[in-house]
Amino acid sequence: MGNITKNLKIAIFTGLLGIFSCSPKINEMSPKTVDGLPVVDLCDLPNYQNQEVILICTYSGVDEYWSLHSLQSTHCSDKLKVELDLRDDYDSLAPSTKEAFTTVYNNYWNSYLTIEAKGMYETGNKNGYGHLGTNKSRFIVTKIMKVEVTKNQR
């Protein structure tokens, strides 16, 4: 009986050692943060409603119909329909940021923006957000950290 107990303990210890040595490190499982704020994809926004986050996404549209899009899933982009809300502060944007927006607005058929911005996700306006309320929610920007024009691949 003593040998069976000893072998069982060794087997359990070896199994646990294997599980923990193959599992990801804690910091790899933790969400990425910048300045203490979580860095999220558009699909994650509903989990952070009314909380400040860093959002990395794309921005595209046509005429007056623009919205943010996920880098990971087209399904959630269509479902969430998120308006980019610059708080009517377009004039205070850095010249290079304004130039990127202007480039994409003028070339919407073959360009989009990749944006990293600090802000807050909001939903709940029964009239919607953006032009004619076509978006169901909005991301209120407090700071645009990075913006890059990307040409559509054909």
Side-chain angles (χ1 to χ4, degrees):
M1 196 74 164
N3 240 359
I4 294 174
T5 304
K6 182 180 176 184
N7 289 339
L8 184 58
K9 286 180 183 178
I10 291 172
I12 290 171
F13 175 76
T14 304
L16 290 173
L17 182 63
I19 289 170
F20 288 112
S21 65
C22 294
S23 65
K25 295 181 177 93
I26 298 289
N27 61 358
E28 291 174 358
M29 293 171 51
S30 302
K32 183 179 174 188
T33 61
V34 171
D35 296 331
L37 297 175
V39 178
V40 301
D41 180 72
L42 189 89
C43 297
D44 301 321
L45 283 179
N47 299 326
Y48 295 93
Q49 187 159 331
N50 300 319
Q51 297 176 44
E52 194 169 40
V53 297
I54 307 290
L55 175 65
I56 300 176
C57 62
T58 64
Y59 180 64
S60 63
V62 60
D63 297 328
E64 295 89 8
Y65 303 97
W66 289 75
S67 61
L68 297 173
H69 305 276
S70 169
L71 292 171
Q72 299 174 3
S73 168
T74 56
H75 176 70
C76 81
S77 298
D78 294 340
K79 181 181 167 190
L80 292 176
K81 305 234 0 132
V82 181
E83 172 79 6
L84 178 66
D85 188 340
L86 296 172
R87 288 296 186 171
D88 299 323
D89 213 9
Y90 186 78
D91 291 333
S92 69
L93 294 176
S96 60
T97 300
K98 284 200 289 191
E99 183 179 323
F101 274 91
T102 300
T103 297
V104 170
Y105 288 144
N106 291 334
N107 298 282
Y108 62 85
W109 62 89
N110 70 356
S111 303
Y112 62 92
L113 291 177
T114 301
I115 296 175
E116 181 177 326
K118 183 188 295 187
M120 194 176 305
Y121 175 72
E122 179 183 281
T123 188
N125 184 344
K126 66 179 182 174
N127 296 320
Y129 302 91
H131 184 69
L132 300 177
T134 55
N135 290 320
K136 298 176 186 175
S137 56
R138 67 180 173 174
F139 186 75
I140 304 166
V141 174
T142 55
K143 180 180 181 183
I144 292 190
M145 301 161 78
K146 291 181 189 174
V147 64
E148 181 180 305
V149 175
T150 304
K151 296 284 186 187
N152 290 334
Q153 305 254 334
R154 292 191 180 233

